[in-house]
Amino acid sequence: MSSAAGEDSSSSRKGKEKEEDGAGGAGESHREEGVAVVEGEVDLGDLYGAAAGWVEARTSCPHLGTMPPAGAADLEGVPPPDSPCSRCHHPAENWLCLICKDVLCSRFINKHMLCHYQEKGHCLALSFSDLSVWCFGCDSYLDVQAILELRPVYEIAHLLKFGEHPPFRSLEVLELSSSENRSLSSGP
């Protein structure tokens, strides 16, 4: 967890404490359903980012070159999403290593995917729970919609899990969305 996320959490706690103490006269802030309100205005900082529980995935990653090319043989080797951890055989919360295709459990079970990264340096993994992609090297989620190298393995995992092709946004929509996010975050 980043220190920024920790700071957001503590500032949220302070707002919550004010609300619980009954403080918050005219002109002061209080919280409504986890969102800071100052004189009737919503603090947009609480609606975006870690304070809202939402994390923006990266649209690039310097570790993508460690993945093998997405050839037909590699994609045929993607195990089904209900595969157990290859070390402890736990049936849930498992991740697929995008480098060697090993299936290992999450840090919330027995941490075998994390150990695999620490032992082998394989930093890219796809969650069989929600099909998100994590880079241990970047310590971040990766946007499978925006990163073309991730699309083939994501599509196979989606087909195996749901029996249908995933809906992909067009690159034009992704570029427009990215430019809008940059302009919103840069402020006036």
Side-chain angles (χ1 to χ4, degrees):
M1 175 185 271
S2 70
S3 62
E7 291 170 12
D8 288 343
S9 297
S10 65
S11 66
S12 295
R13 271 193 302 276
K14 289 177 190 170
K16 184 77 173 160
E17 290 166 3
K18 271 188 172 181
E19 180 183 305
E20 290 170 355
D21 291 340
E28 291 184 34
S29 69
H30 66 280
R31 301 191 71 74
E32 291 178 7
E33 295 184 30
V35 177
V37 178
V38 180
E39 295 184 34
E41 293 182 23
V42 173
D43 179 1
L44 294 180
D46 278 355
L47 295 178
Y48 299 104
W54 174 74
V55 178
E56 187 168 347
R58 293 174 56 109
T59 57
S60 65
C61 172
H63 306 100
L64 294 171
T66 63
M67 281 186 358
D74 284 323
L75 295 175
E76 287 175 8
V78 173
D82 60 353
S83 298
C85 175
S86 64
R87 292 188 188 174
C88 69
H89 307 290
H90 195 279
E93 290 286 327
N94 292 318
W95 290 75
L96 171 68
C97 175
L98 295 180
I99 312 307
C100 68
K101 304 299 185 279
D102 200 0
V103 176
L104 299 153
C105 63
S106 79
R107 64 181 83 212
F108 301 109
I109 304 299
N110 291 315
K111 302 179 180 166
H112 288 134
M113 184 54 78
L114 178 61
C115 292
H116 181 71
Y117 161 66
Q118 292 167 339
E119 294 163 2
K120 304 277 188 186
H122 295 177
C123 61
L124 298 168
L126 179 136
S127 167
F128 278 145
S129 294
D130 64 4
L131 302 182
S132 61
V133 175
W134 179 261
C135 177
F136 286 95
C138 293
D139 196 29
S140 182
Y141 285 103
L142 303 181
D143 187 341
V144 297
Q145 297 281 337
I147 301 174
L148 296 178
E149 297 92 333
L150 296 174
R151 283 188 175 194
V153 71
Y154 173 80
E155 184 169 11
I156 294 298
H158 195 281
L159 276 166
L160 290 169
K161 184 168 180 138
F162 300 111
E164 61 184 36
H165 291 277
F168 282 118
R169 297 175 300 203
S170 71
L171 293 178
E172 294 81 23
V173 170
L174 288 169
E175 288 172 5
L176 177 61
S177 169
S178 294
S179 65
E180 286 176 0
N181 286 340
R182 282 192 296 273
S183 67
L184 284 175
S185 64
S186 62

